[in-house]
Amino acid sequence: MLNFPIDREVLAPLAPPGTVVDTYKGKAYVSVVGFLFLNTKVSGVPIPFHQTFEEVNLRFYVRRLAGEEWRRGVVFIKEIVPSVAVATVARMAYGENYVTLPMRHRLEHAADNSVTAATYSWRLGERWNHLQAVPHGEAFVPAPGTLEEFITEHYWGYTAQPDGGCLEYQVEHPQWLVRRVNDYVFDCNVAAIYGDAFVAALSAPPGSAFLAEGSPVAVFKGVRI
């Protein structure tokens, strides 16, 4: 997870109706996230031949006031997957901006099976783009009030709908352990994939970089708000 400070005004037009851009100590962030889906099911049913696959997404963070509760959520700007079937299901179920590109990944492990390097790649045209992280140190639970906690502790997703509405869905998972990352690579044709508005932010060094160990995750059916 590479997390880049960005001008809040870039994100404000992308915040779904009923949400506002969330910030950490006054700064808005976008995150480039690469990960694996494993043993994926939709409504309890596996998608044949599409249970394990890569995803790389660009996301930012929002809040929505529901009664007296502020719900902290994620908005996906673009999600890259290698399967047309997966992208189609996600678009139909949640209206997310999924695109399909050839992808590959490589995970390197130490003798104790801990990850020593993670690489996710996607091809646009003839060029392979990639995201790589080399973690160090022991895994830890992000402390309250830290940037790692702000980035990982979001349990709602929000998606703007074509008719101007908003879909809210709950995401359930245990708190993730993270490991810090000093050595990383983000080699990406940002303008072609995400648009000119993100070139400046994603061309600068990230404000933080870490690897999350992941966990079982449940994504619930969306509700219009």
Side-chain angles (χ1 to χ4, degrees):
M1 304 181 78
L2 302 184
N3 312 296
F4 300 84
I6 190 169
D7 189 335
R8 192 185 314 190
E9 280 64 41
V10 174
L11 302 178
L14 304 177
T19 71
V20 294
V21 176
D22 202 2
T23 60
Y24 176 76
K25 296 186 176 179
K27 290 184 179 180
Y29 282 85
V30 288
S31 298
V32 179
V33 183
F35 63 98
L36 282 178
F37 277 100
L38 299 172
N39 303 317
T40 307
K41 298 178 182 179
V42 177
S43 298
V45 179
I47 305 174
F49 311 110
H50 297 90
Q51 297 175 54
T52 299
F53 53 91
E54 304 92 346
E55 180 178 313
V56 170
N57 65 60
L58 180 66
R59 69 187 203 177
F60 70 100
Y61 307 96
V62 297
R63 291 179 292 127
R64 185 179 87 86
L65 187 60
E68 297 183 356
E69 171 196 8
W70 277 105
R71 293 179 175 175
R72 298 170 59 197
V74 171
V75 176
F76 294 100
I77 297 167
K78 182 168 287 188
E79 295 162 274
I80 304 170
V81 291
S83 164
V84 173
V86 169
T88 300
V89 169
R91 287 194 209 101
M92 292 177 62
Y94 297 100
E96 296 282 12
N97 185 20
Y98 272 78
V99 298
T100 305
L101 294 174
M103 299 187 74
R104 61 193 183 194
H105 74 278
R106 182 179 179 182
L107 299 178
E108 301 175 35
H109 295 85
D112 63 359
N113 206 39
S114 62
V115 174
T116 58
T119 305
Y120 294 93
S121 304
W122 59 101
R123 193 181 74 204
L124 183 66
E126 297 302 314
R127 178 187 172 189
W128 280 96
N129 301 255
H130 70 280
L131 167 70
Q132 183 181 65
V134 178
H136 68 92
E138 298 296 322
F140 61 93
V141 176
T146 61
L147 180 56
E148 290 93 347
E149 190 237 8
F150 172 80
I151 295 295
T152 58
E153 292 296 288
H154 288 82
Y155 295 98
W156 298 90
Y158 295 95
T159 309
Q161 300 299 289
D163 62 2
C166 176
L167 194 72
E168 176 187 69
Y169 56 91
Q170 189 172 5
V171 180
E172 187 177 89
H173 63 78
Q175 189 172 20
W176 288 335
L177 298 176
V178 301
R179 296 171 64 196
R180 293 193 172 91
V181 166
N182 288 335
D183 299 320
Y184 65 87
V185 177
F186 180 50
D187 180 7
C188 177
N189 187 340
V190 173
I193 295 177
Y194 300 120
D196 292 339
F198 294 95
V199 170
L202 298 183
S203 298
S208 79
F210 55 85
L211 183 143
E213 294 195 352
S215 69
V217 176
V219 181
F220 293 88
K221 185 177 179 179
V223 177
R224 289 184 64 92
I225 58 171

